[in-house]
Amino acid sequence: MAAYNIKIWRQNGPDSNGSMERHVVKGIDGDMSFLEMLDHLNEDLEEQGKEPVAFDHDCREGICGACSLVINGQSHGPETTTTCQLHMRSFEQANITEITVEPFRANGFPIIRDCVVDRSGFDRIIQAGGYVSVNTGNAPDANANAIAKPDADTAFDAAACIGCGACVAACKNASAMLFVSAKVSHLAHLPQGDAERHERVESMVNTMDREGFGSCTNYGECEAACPKSISTDNIATLNREFIRAKIGRIT
Amino acid sequence: MKLDAKIPEGPIEEKWANHKMAMKLVNPANKRKYKVIIIGSGLAGASAAATMGELGYNVECFCFQDSPRRAHSIAAQGGINAAKNYPGDGDSIYRLFYDTVKGGDFRSREANVYRLAYISNQIIDHCVAQGVPFARDYGGLLDNRSFGGAQVSRTFYARGQTGQQLLIGAYQALSRQIAAGTVKMHTRTEMLDVVVADNVAKGVVVRNLVNGQVESHSGDAVVLATGGYGNVFYLSTNAMGCNVTAAYRAYKKGAGFANPCYTQIHPTCIPVSGDHQSKLTLMSESLRNDGRVWVPKELGDKRRPEEIPDDERDYYLERKYPSFGNLAPRDIASRSAKEVCDEGRGVGNTGLGVYLDFRDAINRLGEETISARYGNLFDMYERITAENPYKNPMRIYPAVHYTMGGLWVDYNLMSTIQGLYVIGEANFSDHGANRLGASALMQGLADGYFVLPQTIADYLATMGASHERLPIEDEVFVQAEEAVNNRINRLLNVNGSRTVDSFHKELGLIMWENCGMSRLKKGLETAIEEIPKLRKDFWANVKVNGSADNFNISLEKAGRVADFLEFGELMCRDALAREESAGGHFRAEHQTAEGEALRNDDDFCHSAVWEYTGDDAVPIRHEEALKFDNVKLATRSYK
Ligand SMILES: Cc1cc2nc3c(=O)[nH]c(=O)nc-3n(C[C@H](O)[C@H](O)[C@H](O)COP(=O)(O)OP(=O)(O)OC[C@H]3O[C@@H](n4cnc5c(N)ncnc54)[C@H](O)[C@@H]3O)c2cc1C
Ligand code: SF4
Ligand code: FES
């Protein structure tokens, strides 16, 4: 059982000023997840009649993309995983007892309260074209078209993005390029995505700009922070798709 | 309460087609005049909202997460069933239908299950067309694997992330409709009541979770796609936000609640490690394709697993169920694990665990193949337990996972309230007393993409395009809003000394002890006495900090736990009344000499449907008789 000095971001609402608040959290076991440590802190706060720290989370299995904390300066903390899959043994083993916790900060992610941010910009980027236009109804037999395994695998690797936004929080420019490229690349590698590939990439990139995300200058921090190991190769794919779309328009 | 299942006439293979022909249609030009409110954006809700939007209806969709993409469906790992028979191993619509009815221990409605099996193939076609990246073989065609309760390979999968990929497909279709303006999406918004006038659904009251605003929405029909209630046990494999509120509120407004006690306890979850635990993690059932389940033969054998030679291991599933072996259905596998642990042969520090061992599969196929099949699950296991499952067997134990019970619906998926539809895990659905693996995703998508959009048209068409919607200024809305506000204020004003979580944990323990894997009359009676006491204590001593007009996580949780505190009692009443063992409902008084579940078809071949009669009053139990014309009512055997 260990104790930690926690510095955590508190902010009452979108328009209030925020600041770091200090707490000591005791009785923490290495098998506890990071969020269970915060549950423990919140339970203490509530018993003292104070409001708990708000943070987003739901599945706690590393798949829904809700959890979103910057821990000791890193999106999702020191390991390549989501905040909810980080365990306290990671700090115990490294003898780290000082922990700072902040929200994912970015122009495109305004703070709602404490460590909760508004990531609806991501939804609007998908609405701009991150889909295949097919209505429910008479799709052809699923095995009518074979898809070569390498293509299927590349598409899958890109489709594994959970939309958490860690890439944006880690990027100096707060760019959403890795997220956008993951979707573009997923659909560009499948025949189903072919018909709309030009409009898709243009519209998604334009929406990204409009939503206040920065531009990509190839720092590569996004890939390092991504819990699903989405590769920056997808950004190269996106750039290629984007150029093809532009050329497609000219000729 | 009248229960008319409205099962269409005719042979089972033709019922759905005939019914589709017989139903009224809404003229395309008139569709936008109908407003449909959909609560939930999981597989069921998102697929329904997207399809209704495509058809041209005016849809409003709500979810409590910050994005529809985060609904709990995202967490499904293993796969989705369909009767494609691509492997050519003898599968068919009839066989999928038969397996599902049998798996459900003959407590589901034949006609619905047949329709589900029929639609399963269309789902796969549609999802592939959307770009869902299912696993493929080297020839580029779709790959299948096996799940419990089946002797064919009919499960389509996407690595260990099938739910994620299917949900993203539905979410993208939904996003397309949001962009097209046919669907208006309200995220971070929680439904707190259904508005009902003369037993007709008129709309909902919701709370904006960001600014606390309570508001009403009026619609021509309301669809609940709000998922399951496994979190009544506090610890479960469900996401933290899963709750019973929407379904329970509908029950209190007159919707019958069917078989609330039917709970699925999943056999392969990571065992509980301490009281700090906030949730349990599932290890997909697909692991049982290659993993072998065992415990030591000797009581209290404390040797490390690798030190125990094969002839001193009890591969109890293979021993007891030679033809299904490690792929016995979930209820049977869970109960068997509990049995060996109760005997004192469980493993790990707590003794509440059994081994799931990949040694033989790794020797046979190599570590690489195993890693390609289950890599992400192995990684997740190691991350949580700090043990390497390639070297040591996994330790697993059953945990609450899915709820077969839910709001009663007829063949059209309409509840006992007119115009209130229920889809996905929230309805009592097609799984009877036990759901087979990979069939919840199938059901959610069948309901949302293919069934509801057809059946709801019949209801809407009856209204006529010039119908009037009840304005939200109407007295029924005003009263419903006032009741919601009063309850919120009541929660904030108790100002006691106990946290919401402490009540939730205590309820969870009562439920797990008395209404969990094995149930006894005496335990259930105790629970029915204890839960109301705990509820009283909650309303006298709970502490909810903060205010109503802000983002308030304590208040959100308090409302959900308050509903669980009423609903838990209903589950126990249902379990007490069902004097038989069926599927996931195991009444220890009713078992065979070998410890298998003993059904009582003479008295309980029915769904139990509960009608609310007032707070603290005993609800009325109704019955929908189940008829089996196409499947012989038999004792389930997996031997
Ligand atoms: C860990 C895990 C693994 C699983 N694996 C499989 C598998 O491999 N194969 C399989 O077939 N099944 C699997 N299942 C089961 C399956 O995932 C679920 O049954 C299914 O996804 C439920 O879908 P749904 O759309 O009904 O509900 P959900 O996905 O739970 O969605 C519920 C929606 O309702 C909303 N909601 C709820 N209450 C309210 C409210 N009051 N107000 C507003 N919105 C509300 C939520 O925001 C959410 O959008 C698994 C389940 C778990 C827990
Ligand atoms: S690319 Fe990675 S970091 Fe960015 S949203 Fe997707 S999963 Fe998260
Ligand atoms: S809570 Fe779902 S990914 Fe962390």
Side-chain angles (χ1 to χ4, degrees), chain A residues 43 79 89 113 123 183, chain B residues 171-172 383-384 499 551:
Chain A
E43 201 61 8
E79 292 179 31
R89 66 178 83 89
R113 185 170 198 186
D123 287 329
K183 188 47 60 194
Chain B
Y171 159 75
Q172 290 174 187
R383 185 163 285 293
I384 292 171
T499 63
F551 193 93

Side-chain angles (χ1 to χ4, degrees), chain B residues 197-512:
Chain B
D198 300 327
N199 202 40
V200 179
K202 296 291 180 189
V204 292
V205 178
V206 301
R207 178 170 179 268
N208 176 322
L209 298 177
V210 175
N211 61 20
Q213 195 79 40
V214 170
E215 56 186 36
S216 294
H217 291 263
S218 172
D220 297 312
V222 175
V223 182
L224 300 185
T226 45
Y229 50 82
N231 278 349
V232 65
F233 291 89
Y234 186 73
L235 285 182
S236 84
T237 63
N238 287 192
M240 301 298 286
C242 293
N243 67 88
V244 77
T245 291
Y248 193 71
R249 300 273 124 199
Y251 162 73
K252 288 182 102 170
K253 286 287 173 82
F257 209 113
N259 306 325
C261 81
Y262 285 169
T263 316
Q264 176 160 85
I265 316 274
H266 197 293
T268 52
C269 301
I270 300 180
V272 176
S273 70
D275 352 307
H276 58 261
Q277 203 133 358
S278 58
K279 75 157 283 173
L280 296 172
T281 303
L282 174 79
M283 287 284 107
S284 167
E285 171 162 308
S286 59
L287 293 168
R288 290 199 274 144
N289 270 288
D290 288 306
R292 297 179 68 194
V293 178
W294 65 276
V295 289
K297 279 187 181 158
E298 278 302 312
L299 274 185
D301 187 338
K302 290 284 167 226
R303 284 176 293 174
R304 298 190 44 79
E306 66 274 13
E307 291 164 2
I308 303 180
D310 253 12
D311 60 350
E312 292 175 41
R313 298 175 174 196
D314 180 10
Y315 291 96
Y316 58 87
L317 287 176
E318 296 170 24
R319 171 173 59 79
K320 285 171 34 182
Y321 307 100
S323 58
F324 281 71
N326 293 297
L327 285 174
R330 292 179 176 174
D331 52 334
I332 289 179
S334 290
R335 236 168 4 249
S336 305
K338 179 177 188 308
E339 240 170 66
V340 293
C341 293
D342 288 351
E343 286 166 20
R345 296 194 287 148
V347 302
N349 289 341
T350 58
L352 292 177
V354 300
Y355 290 124
L356 179 63
D357 198 337
F358 293 87
R359 182 198 65 186
D360 298 345
I362 290 175
N363 288 342
R364 191 173 71 244
L365 304 162
E367 205 169 298
E368 209 170 300
T369 308
I370 294 300
S371 154
R373 283 186 193 165
Y374 313 111
N376 65 328
L377 296 171
F378 278 42
D379 292 348
M380 180 148 74
Y381 182 86
E382 183 165 7
R383 185 163 285 293
I384 292 171
T385 62
E387 287 168 28
N388 176 347
Y390 294 100
K391 302 267 163 338
N392 306 302
M394 287 184 177
R395 279 177 301 109
I396 52 163
Y397 196 68
V400 174
H401 177 59
Y402 181 89
T403 50
M404 283 77 66
L407 291 175
W408 182 89
V409 289
D410 63 16
Y411 189 75
N412 296 317
L413 305 180
M414 197 199 279
S415 68
T416 56
I417 296 175
Q418 292 297 300
L420 179 73
Y421 290 79
V422 192
I423 60 177
E425 190 173 340
N427 70 23
F428 85 125
S429 80
D430 308 344
H431 310 295
N434 172 56
R435 176 177 70 80
L436 289 183
S439 57
L441 303 182
M442 168 171 76
Q443 182 229 332
L445 291 180
D447 288 0
Y449 281 132
F450 295 101
V451 181
L452 176 92
Q454 309 276 334
T455 56
I456 205 170
D458 190 52
Y459 172 74
L460 295 172
T462 317
M463 257 177 229
S466 56
H467 69 283
E468 280 184 16
R469 255 195 302 282
L470 202 62
I472 56 168
E473 293 75 29
D474 189 277
E475 195 56 21
V476 258
F477 276 105
V478 174
Q479 277 174 7
E481 249 183 64
E482 197 176 286
V484 164
N485 278 315
N486 286 344
R487 188 162 182 266
I488 290 173
N489 291 330
R490 222 180 121 203
L491 284 168
L492 287 167
N493 289 333
V494 176
N495 216 355
S497 55
R498 276 185 70 179
T499 63
V500 175
D501 266 358
S502 75
F503 283 103
H504 194 181
K505 278 185 191 169
E506 192 174 334
L507 173 68
L509 282 178
I510 297 177
M511 294 302 294
W512 181 244

